[in-house]
Amino acid sequence: MKFGTLDDIETARKTVILRVDFNSPIDPASNTILDDKRFREHTPTVQNLQDSKVVIVTHQSRPQKKDFTTLKAHAERLEHLLGRPVEYIDDIFGRCARDAVKKMDCGDILMLENVRFNAEENIKMTPEEAASTHLVRGLSKLGDIYVNDAFGTAHRSQPTMVGLPYVMKSVAGTLMEKEVSCLSKVFSDSPKPVTFVLGGTKVDDSMNVARNVLECGIADRVVVVGVVANVFLLAEGVDIGCPSSDLIKKLGYYGEIKKAAEILSKFKDKVILPEYVAVRNEDGTRGEFSVDKIPDKYPVLDLGLDSLVPFTDILRNSGTVVFNGPAGLFEEDLFSTGTFELLKAASESEFSVVGGGHTAVVAESLGINDRFSHISTGGGACIEFLTGKKLPAISALEKSREMFGKK
């Protein structure tokens, strides 16, 4: 790795500015955190800094959203998980924050207010621009070292992600290091054959991943499911019915059909499309049809059972499986079979990665999350990483190592 890690730096008795991503599902009415998975993923980094004064910088949601709120509940949840006091203060870098930091002893943990309450944090900017913001200048005065553990936000070029490494000695936290290491393995020494499963509704991201891993020779096969599969079927001239076609138009992905056609023209034998799908019948029941006989008025909502057997065989016989996006409307029991069975099969491969987001939630709900080699905490960040892009936060950490030295 070109960036520094906690092993490269002395943090004992130092004041550490720790950027994490505690952005979580929350009940706006009661301000109750509904899922603390990200808290649990970050706790090893916090525990590794137990001899430091830890000042936590994080966010919840973004402006105009219903769950854009203070971090009092987040501090309480972290305190519960750590079994150690976590002080919350409703300030970011003002006098109250400065005074609170001055009073800290080694082993203390302080959580600052939602950093996105500061307008500068919500603006995309270059690292140089970010380094000169009031936010970065103010936060950098609070600590000696900056540790970025927020992989889930690593694709955002925002001040705390890319500006602080330009003004402070900075390293990656335990989770950031783990994410980059595991995802990088997909591109280098992962067991063969390598299969990508791309589904869900983020069609443009999936197209970019498919193109990258096929053109670079990383993937031996790309299995497409969900709305992504529907776009590929349209590219092949298959009539998927009005409801499914209308959804693609509504999501703004009709232009992706051309991209799908280009991928198929180059890698026809490596892109695996479903031959059978499941639809919702007029009476609400599940119906199974081959793709050339999809009823015009019924929406495609899952992988067909006759496609499930060959698909699961492919995954079980793969050395590496990267799984990103569900195979259908998994929230409904009637259409959850494809997603559930494919995930179970993927977990049996020698090296298996789940790309965060909804897929990670399903894996945990099935109780099979421990069977995967790695489950990413960053949906968007993971996808961008798999497209071959260098994430802004990672580039900033690499630059910080150049600027402030390896030790």
Side-chain angles (χ1 to χ4, degrees):
M1 294 182 185
K2 297 180 181 179
F3 53 75
T5 67
L6 288 174
D7 291 334
D8 300 319
I9 200 165
E10 180 58 60
T11 58
R13 298 176 298 281
K14 304 283 188 180
T15 301
V16 176
I17 306 297
L18 174 62
R19 180 61 160 101
V20 296
D21 185 347
F22 284 158
N23 186 29
S24 303
I26 205 166
D27 179 4
S30 62
N31 206 33
T32 301
I33 294 167
L34 304 175
D35 180 7
D36 62 7
K37 175 177 170 57
R38 283 188 167 177
F39 288 77
R40 288 180 274 120
E41 294 287 352
H42 282 296
T43 52
T45 300
V46 179
Q47 290 167 337
N48 282 342
L49 297 169
Q50 60 184 355
D51 296 326
S52 311
K53 304 172 186 178
V54 180
V55 181
I56 293 178
V57 176
T58 188
H59 68 279
Q60 171 63 40
S61 192
R62 57 180 181 268
Q64 313 306 322
K65 295 284 187 177
K66 290 182 180 179
D67 57 348
F68 186 54
T69 184
T70 68
L71 300 183
K72 187 174 186 296
H74 296 66
E76 292 172 351
R77 181 59 62 93
L78 182 61
E79 181 173 281
H80 173 74
L81 290 171
L82 292 173
R84 294 166 54 193
V86 176
E87 182 184 358
Y88 157 75
I89 186 166
D90 60 351
D91 189 20
I92 300 174
F93 61 88
R95 179 176 295 177
C96 292
R98 294 195 299 271
D99 290 344
V101 172
K102 288 177 183 177
K103 295 175 183 177
M104 294 178 73
D105 292 321
C106 290
D108 287 351
I109 303 171
L110 174 70
M111 186 178 294
L112 302 177
E113 184 55 282
N114 187 341
V115 73
R116 288 186 178 173
F117 280 8
N118 182 284
E120 290 177 323
E121 181 68 1
N122 299 291
I123 302 172
K124 179 180 179 181
M125 55 183 77
T126 66
E128 292 79 9
E129 292 169 337
S132 65
T133 60
H134 294 291
L135 176 59
V136 166
R137 289 203 299 263
L139 283 173
S140 63
K141 292 176 182 177
L142 299 181
D144 306 306
I145 299 165
Y146 172 68
V147 176
N148 191 346
D149 207 36
F151 179 78
T153 320
H155 58 311
R156 306 288 186 194
S157 190
Q158 294 169 333
T160 62
M161 299 302 296
V162 301
L164 283 169
Y166 273 59
V167 299
M168 301 180 71
K169 181 172 287 190
S170 305
V171 297
T174 307
L175 177 61
M176 179 75 81
E177 181 185 3
K178 175 187 173 186
E179 289 272 13
V180 174
S181 176
C182 289
L183 293 176
S184 295
K185 184 176 179 180
V186 175
F187 293 95
S188 53
D189 58 349
S190 58
K192 304 292 184 181
V194 177
T195 300
F196 274 66
V197 180
L198 301 177
T201 60
K202 294 184 178 179
V203 177
D204 52 347
D205 289 338
S206 293
M207 289 296 170
N208 291 334
V209 173
R211 180 185 286 115
N212 179 58
V213 298
L214 289 169
E215 289 182 348
C216 295
I218 296 161
D220 296 289
R221 291 163 299 201
V222 173
V223 173
V224 291
V225 292
V227 178
V228 179
N230 287 344
V231 172
F232 273 97
L233 289 171
L234 284 173
E236 279 211 322
V238 174
D239 184 356
I240 62 172
C242 287
S244 298
S245 294
D246 289 345
L247 176 62
I248 291 168
K249 289 179 183 177
K250 182 181 178 181
L251 293 172
Y253 291 140
Y254 227 69
E256 300 297 317
I257 298 172
K258 182 179 179 181
K259 294 180 184 177
E262 292 171 353
I263 292 172
L264 287 172
S265 68
K266 294 180 182 178
F267 305 102
K268 175 71 174 176
D269 295 337
K270 292 189 175 185
V271 179
I272 314 299
L273 277 66
E275 295 183 8
Y276 298 89
V277 295
V279 305
R280 192 195 303 278
N281 292 322
E282 196 168 354
D283 60 359
T285 58
R286 178 183 173 113
E288 302 267 339
F289 295 91
S290 62
V291 294
D292 59 343
K293 295 180 180 178
I294 299 172
D296 185 59
K297 295 182 180 179
Y298 298 166
V300 175
L301 298 177
D302 195 14
L303 187 67
L305 296 180
D306 286 338
S307 278
L308 201 51
V309 173
F311 276 25
T312 53
D313 283 346
I314 289 172
L315 301 189
R316 289 193 180 98
N317 291 311
S318 296
T320 298
V321 175
V322 180
F323 202 119
N324 195 86
L329 193 63
F330 68 92
E331 296 90 345
E332 291 189 21
D333 291 341
L334 201 60
F335 302 104
S336 63
T337 307
T339 302
F340 289 2
E341 294 304 317
L342 288 181
L343 271 172
K344 290 174 185 176
S347 71
E348 297 176 20
S349 61
E350 185 179 345
F351 183 68
S352 52
V353 174
V354 172
H358 287 127
T359 326
V361 174
V362 177
E364 189 155 6
S365 70
L366 289 173
I368 60 172
N369 48 311
D370 292 340
R371 286 159 50 180
F372 287 92
S373 307
H374 180 62
I375 296 182
S376 181
T377 57
C382 179
I383 277 284
E384 285 209 18
F385 194 99
L386 294 173
T387 62
K389 296 179 182 177
K390 180 64 72 70
L391 304 185
I394 294 174
S395 295
L397 286 174
E398 293 175 351
K399 183 65 176 178
S400 185
R401 194 181 197 191
E402 291 178 14
M403 295 169 66
F404 296 99
K406 294 183 178 181
K407 293 289 182 181

